[in-house]
Amino acid sequence: MPDPALVIIARAPELGRVKTRLAAGIGGPGALIVYRQLLAIVATAQAAWSGPVLLTASGDDAAWEGTGLAHLPRRAQATGGLGSRIAAALRWGIDTAGSAIAIGTDCPGLRSTHLQRLAALLATAPVAFGPAEDGGYWGVAVSDPRAIPVIADDAMPWSTPAILQVSHLRLERAGIAHASGDILADCDDGDDLAAAVSAGLLSWPSQIEVRS
């Protein structure tokens, strides 16, 4: 079976517009430094992907230069909330390749092997999640378009620790099986950044204080 289409949902790296929770502790310029590192990690992970890849982006197109993602086919994100953006990404991927993986740009530990294992789970279930430690998910793979409105609804509790659990419950009520891949940590606040730096996943100037 061919690889699913990989769709990256991201904001352009612009000062004051990315990683706002992290910026509350380290400032906008610091948050931009971290975000560009996260984009580079995604760029490395997707470089080994043999299926189609699309970047769905918001912000200034010129800001993508130097991120490792500027060469990718790019289209504007769908209007609406995160549910609408994920739904549009998954529909494009399924239309293009028969199955899709949608990912964000928050996981410093993301590697190409995580994407490959997530894709492999579609052989066991029509939906597979890459869980995040905070109760969300870093990626979702779908092979059945009927699952898209179930898991990608703007009314769902996005950006809360309940979102993965709610997604599971909605799928179970709809009679749609799901599977789970590798658990990864997001980098959303100062504590997350400190943990990622300690693990060698991100770098940060030691003289700058990190506050949660």
Side-chain angles (χ1 to χ4, degrees):
M1 188 172 83
D3 281 343
L6 177 64
V7 188
I8 303 163
I9 302 172
R11 291 180 181 271
E14 299 175 275
L15 182 62
R17 298 179 64 86
V18 296
K19 307 304 295 180
T20 53
R21 284 174 56 194
L22 185 59
I26 64 175
L32 184 58
I33 290 171
V34 172
Y35 185 64
R36 291 189 72 90
Q37 290 182 65
L38 291 168
L39 291 179
I41 287 166
V42 171
T44 299
Q46 66 80 34
W49 195 252
S50 63
V53 182
L54 176 72
L55 175 63
T56 64
S58 64
D60 184 359
D61 284 350
W64 292 102
E65 293 302 321
T67 63
L69 299 171
H71 67 288
L72 294 175
R74 186 164 60 243
R75 64 171 56 185
Q77 293 180 7
T79 57
L82 182 55
S84 294
R85 297 195 295 273
I86 293 174
L90 293 171
R91 289 191 186 100
W92 177 87
I94 288 176
D95 288 346
T96 300
S99 59
I101 296 178
I103 64 170
T105 56
D106 291 329
C107 289
L110 180 68
R111 300 294 182 265
S112 61
T113 51
H114 298 127
L115 297 175
Q116 291 160 4
R117 287 196 288 266
L118 187 63
L121 289 171
L122 289 178
T124 67
V127 181
F129 293 97
E133 290 183 356
D134 63 3
Y137 55 87
W138 55 263
V140 59
V142 175
S143 60
D144 186 342
R146 292 175 298 179
I148 294 175
V150 178
I151 62 168
D153 181 343
D154 280 345
M156 294 172 69
W158 299 104
S159 302
T160 75
I163 187 61
L164 185 56
Q165 181 181 20
V166 169
S167 299
H168 288 170
L169 289 172
R170 286 170 64 103
L171 287 168
E172 288 158 10
R173 288 169 183 163
I176 300 173
H178 57 86
S180 292
D182 300 289
I183 300 173
L184 299 176
D186 284 345
C187 183
D188 290 325
D189 59 25
D191 289 341
D192 296 339
L193 175 58
V197 170
S198 178
L201 300 174
L202 294 172
S203 60
W204 184 251
S206 60
Q207 68 271 24
I208 298 179
E209 180 184 3
V210 176
R211 304 184 304 276
S212 295

